[in-house]
Amino acid sequence: MLERTDTPGRLTRGLAAALIAVTTLVLAANAGPTRGAEPSRTQHTPHVNPDADSSAARTGVR
């Protein structure tokens, strides 16, 4: 037959479980996504409207 666990043993296990849970939550909160690489300027191609007049197309003003 199973014996009943004494009170200090239960409190110790409960405290250990709570400490592990808090530690796990803190570590998970600090493990955010890493920073990506800086975007390269060569990847972006500006949109040019062929219907716009040439002066606006050169300056980027519409």
Side-chain angles (χ1 to χ4, degrees), residues 15-60:
L15 182 62
L19 183 64
I20 291 170
V22 168
T23 303
T24 302
L25 289 173
V26 168
L27 290 174
N30 288 332
T34 59
R35 291 182 60 185
E38 294 292 326
S40 175
R41 291 184 178 258
T42 59
Q43 293 177 351
H44 177 70
T45 304
H47 176 72
V48 178
N49 187 354
D51 296 331
D53 65 347
S54 60
S55 63
R58 278 196 309 262
T59 60

